Amino acid sequence: MQLASERLLRGSAVSFFTAPLATGLVGFALLSGLIPSAEAIGARNIWFVLHVALSVLGLALMALAFIAAALYLLQFRELKARRFGQVFQLFPPLERLDQLNRFALVAGFPALTLGVLLALGYGAQFSGGLHVAKAQVVWGIFTWVVLGWAVWVRVVRHWAGRRAALASIAGFGAVLLVYVALKLTQPGAERFL
Amino acid sequence: MTGQTEIGGGIKVVGVNHHTAPLDVRERFAHGAHEVPRALARVMAAGASGGVLLSTCNRTEFYLVADDEPALEAVWSLLGERLPVAPAGGAREYGYIARDRDAVRHLYRVSAGLDSVILGESQIQGQVREAWEASRAQAGPVLHRLFQSALYVGSRVRTETGLGMGTASAASAGVAVAGKIFGDLAGRTALILGAGDMAELAATCLSDQGVQITLVANRTQERARAIAERLGARAVSLDEAWPHFATTDIALCSTAAPHAVVTWERVGTVIGGGARRGRPLCILDLAVPRDVDPALAQLENVFLYDVDDLQTVAAQATARRRDEIPAAERIVEEETDLFWAWYGGLGVVPAIKELRQRMDDLRAAELERALRHLGHLSPEDRARVEQLSQTLLNKFLHQPTIAIKTAAEEGRGYGLLEALRRLFGMEPPA
């Protein structure tokens, strides 16, 4: 995620957000008991590993899109308000943030979709069929739809700038919201989101 | 700013600048070149013997050689009439007065760029020259010399110090702001409204960054054509420019119009319409008075910046120049001393000569009257008495002469000369 942003932004303020986010997520995972289990992973097949890898990649890119959108909105606000302080000085230009947001969404959503499809396929093949009534499946599809909407308005409806940034934030916000909701209401289900 | 010597006619500066008045007030006080002679004539009719009006986007200053307060009052009155609603204290609430040596130092600092929003910017020197030239008929010998030396001081500061290093103009700030919106400016398009020096400078800055200047629109086509040709653009009238707001990335406005020309009625629909698809439009309004209706900034895709905004950005780039301030101030002080010595010494030699002549006439008359009653004296004794009168006169006048010459060298001669004239009933110089 950091490499992608550095590549696109040629040295940017994105790391101010990605670094704490990565640290926070890892810390949250450890505190929640999500400790990697070599035995569990070893017992899975390639479908499962691909599902996890693509889902993580997709979500990481969505997080990057979210950060780019947040930076965009902050820089946008400063530029509109004609304030020329630290945000103006340090944050990347609007159009570059917009490009990063678009790249992350367009690259991240297919990866995430593929990850979801692999999960469905894996479930049908190895876990005794699809359990569409399960909360994590229902809410997982819901977040996929919201993220898909953010990508759709961006690519098909040609949204750009502030509206696209808000849509992107709504998409990733849905992921975070559902994760926390599942964590609180059905502990354990959020692992499979 | 306080005066130092205030006896009779002295050099004064009366005005407002960016430290004391907001943009909308400065806009109202700004004088076009065509307004200068009439404004100066009015102030001179109130008692000033010389005047130069320096009016830029950041300052409107009357440099005067004036005897008394009515000339200063005339300036405040003239400026006050330009305010729709004057504050209780009139226009003076926005301004300042500097007198004599302080006034000289002030102009030197202005010319050197020490008093500019963008520290060390060089544009002001051209503006000082233009002001001097526009007021040439009314300046008078003292202000001629003052403005001539101010230009020299400006050049000296820029040559001998690093105060002018780097790019920190409003034009370059405009490029920086546009860069924060678009990122890489290469391949972007810009249209230019106005064909003055500022428009040309800013357009060149954009062009240097790879921005394609598509149009130069101006009220008069001749100058627009010259700039357009140089930048590879097309010269059009202002009315032809409005539809192009639908496609351009940057609009640079710097006309000399006395009111907003880029209004909601003219471009609001064009910018907010479907043709732009919400693409950002950066409008750089470098004109004073402003060319662009501020209401256009309400459109989500419009990023509008006026001179004050750009100067704020540019000011941030001047941090490096601050280290050069002491060296520049030293030059200003040196040159102020030199001017003040010249100014103070202007009337010293003829005044001393006149004083000595008067005293000598008195001595000769009194000597002649005394000798008429001393007819018994031998020619040798008469010569001794005459020698005595001459010696006494020289001794009496020695100390005042030295004092006046010293005061003149120290820049305090003007006040002492006035005192001399009053004490001994001498005529003021023509």
Side-chain angles (χ1 to χ4, degrees):
Chain A
M1 195 157 68
Q2 182 58 38
L3 284 174
S5 61
E6 290 289 340
R7 179 93 181 160
L8 281 172
L9 296 172
R10 298 168 211 159
S12 72
V14 172
S15 58
F16 284 120
F17 292 81
T18 52
L21 182 71
T23 310
L25 286 176
V26 169
F28 185 68
L30 289 173
L31 288 172
S32 310
L34 283 172
I35 301 164
S37 161
E39 189 191 349
I41 290 172
R44 312 286 186 179
N45 63 22
I46 187 69
W47 290 93
F48 185 79
V49 174
L50 271 175
H51 153 67
V52 172
L54 286 169
S55 298
V56 168
L57 177 66
L59 282 174
L61 285 167
M62 290 299 160
L64 182 61
F66 168 79
I67 289 165
L71 291 180
Y72 182 98
L73 291 178
L74 287 170
Q75 181 71 289
F76 180 91
R77 194 182 62 173
E78 297 298 292
L79 283 166
K80 283 294 276 185
R82 310 183 205 192
R83 283 192 294 261
F84 307 104
Q86 295 295 308
V87 170
F88 172 82
Q89 300 283 348
L90 295 174
F91 282 23
L94 284 183
E95 292 244 330
R96 224 172 269 166
L97 288 167
D98 197 45
Q99 285 167 7
L100 176 64
N101 174 265
R102 185 186 162 90
F103 161 80
L105 277 179
V106 170
F109 187 70
L112 192 67
T113 304
L114 207 55
V116 171
L117 288 176
L118 283 169
L120 294 175
Y122 178 85
Q125 190 73 26
F126 303 107
S127 296
L130 288 172
H131 304 284
V132 290
K134 279 186 174 176
Q136 64 265 37
V137 175
V138 172
W139 287 107
I141 289 171
F142 168 75
T143 57
W144 181 85
V145 168
V146 176
L147 286 169
W149 168 77
V151 176
W152 179 74
V153 293
R154 176 105 229 191
V155 176
V156 180
R157 303 288 296 169
H158 300 293
W159 281 19
R162 190 165 164 270
R163 278 201 305 176
L166 287 170
S168 178
I169 284 173
F172 193 72
V175 174
L176 291 178
L177 200 68
V178 168
Y179 183 88
V180 172
L182 284 176
K183 176 82 183 162
L184 294 175
T185 56
Q186 297 192 33
E190 81 282 356
R191 289 179 176 210
F192 302 99
L193 186 64
Chain B
M1 295 180 214
T2 56
Q4 181 177 325
T5 309
E6 191 63 28
I7 300 173
I11 302 171
K12 295 174 177 70
V13 55
V14 192
V16 304
N17 66 15
H18 55 279
H19 297 302
T20 61
L23 179 61
D24 58 331
V25 171
R26 299 199 314 268
E27 281 176 350
R28 292 188 174 276
F29 288 169
H31 284 66
H34 64 286
E35 297 175 288
V36 170
R38 201 161 43 165
L40 282 177
R42 190 168 148 187
V43 177
M44 291 176 77
S49 59
V52 173
L53 172 52
L54 172 63
S55 188
T56 72
C57 55
N58 285 324
R59 66 187 69 247
T60 294
E61 291 176 335
F62 287 79
Y63 289 84
L64 304 172
V65 175
D67 278 330
D68 39 33
E69 293 301 315
L72 309 185
E73 282 305 316
V75 171
W76 295 131
S77 164
L78 191 147
L79 295 178
E81 287 164 13
R82 291 174 165 244
L83 293 172
V85 182
R92 66 165 56 75
E93 284 201 7
Y94 295 112
Y96 46 83
I97 299 173
R99 294 177 164 89
D100 296 327
R101 194 186 165 96
D102 287 343
V104 173
R105 186 190 294 112
H106 179 77
L107 178 60
Y108 285 177
R109 294 187 81 254
V110 168
S111 183
L114 282 163
D115 197 47
S116 298
V117 175
I118 303 161
L119 184 66
E121 55 102 2
S122 57
Q123 200 184 0
I124 185 65
Q125 204 169 358
Q127 290 165 329
V128 168
R129 180 184 295 282
E130 283 164 19
W132 176 36
E133 284 170 357
S135 312
R136 198 174 275 270
Q138 291 145 302
V142 172
L143 292 182
H144 269 310
R145 172 78 176 237
L146 177 62
F147 273 75
Q148 203 171 24
S149 59
L151 292 173
Y152 170 71
V153 173
S155 301
R156 217 188 129 191
V157 165
R158 286 179 181 87
T159 311
E160 295 179 22
T161 74
L163 198 73
M165 67 187 175
T167 53
S169 66
S172 59
V175 171
V177 171
K180 277 294 177 185
I181 296 167
F182 299 113
D184 192 359
L185 291 178
R188 300 284 173 183
T189 57
L191 62 83
I192 315 295
L193 300 188
D197 290 344
M198 178 59 105
E200 188 174 7
L201 173 69
T204 306
C205 281
L206 287 171
S207 183
D208 289 346
Q209 297 297 313
V211 175
Q212 187 195 344
I213 311 295
T214 54
L215 295 176
V216 178
N218 198 42
R219 193 168 52 84
T220 53
Q221 294 268 310
E222 198 177 323
R223 174 115 175 102
R225 217 169 280 135
I227 297 175
E229 205 169 291
R230 198 171 64 72
L231 297 170
R234 196 158 57 89
V236 296
S237 69
L238 285 173
D239 283 337
E240 287 175 274
W242 309 136
H244 294 275
F245 275 77
T247 52
T248 192
D249 294 310
I250 301 165
L252 198 152
C253 310
S254 183
T255 77
H259 49 73
V261 290
V262 184
T263 59
W264 189 279
E265 292 73 27
R266 283 175 175 147
V267 299
T269 319
V270 177
I271 298 170
R276 281 205 77 86
R277 283 190 167 175
R279 280 191 306 117
L281 169 63
C282 175
I283 304 180
L284 305 173
D285 186 355
L286 301 178
V288 176
R290 281 171 287 187
D291 274 343
V292 184
D293 180 358
L296 285 169
Q298 290 167 14
L299 288 167
E300 188 177 296
N301 57 334
V302 170
F303 297 88
L304 170 61
Y305 304 98
D306 62 28
V307 166
D308 272 4
D309 301 322
L310 297 178
Q311 287 179 341
T312 303
V313 176
Q316 292 169 348
T318 60
R320 284 183 305 162
R321 295 181 175 189
R322 292 189 198 287
D323 294 341
E324 301 295 320
I325 290 177
E329 295 281 14
R330 267 197 300 278
I331 291 173
V332 166
E333 280 307 315
E334 275 173 34
E335 295 294 336
T336 304
D337 288 346
L338 285 175
F339 179 86
W340 203 243
W342 170 82
Y343 181 59
L346 266 184
V348 161
V349 173
I352 291 174
K353 205 171 162 186
E354 187 187 341
L355 177 67
R356 291 194 75 90
Q357 188 60 52
R358 275 176 166 250
M359 295 297 110
D360 198 55
D361 289 348
L362 273 174
R363 181 199 63 80
E366 291 302 315
L367 178 68
E368 191 186 338
R369 200 165 58 169
L371 287 177
R372 270 204 302 272
H373 299 289
L374 298 167
H376 59 281
L377 292 180
S378 65
E380 290 78 20
D381 288 339
R382 293 172 73 89
R384 276 195 199 101
V385 172
E386 184 170 358
Q387 180 63 40
L388 173 70
S389 71
Q390 192 71 56
T391 306
L392 281 174
L393 178 67
N394 285 341
K395 286 197 180 292
F396 286 146
L397 289 182
H398 177 72
Q399 188 52 39
T401 304
I402 296 294
I404 289 172
K405 282 184 174 171
T406 307
E409 283 167 11
E410 290 172 357
R412 296 179 290 108
Y414 191 85
L416 272 182
L417 276 181
E418 276 300 311
L420 196 71
R421 288 197 179 98
R422 290 190 186 190
L423 287 171
F424 292 94
M426 291 156 64
E427 287 298 312

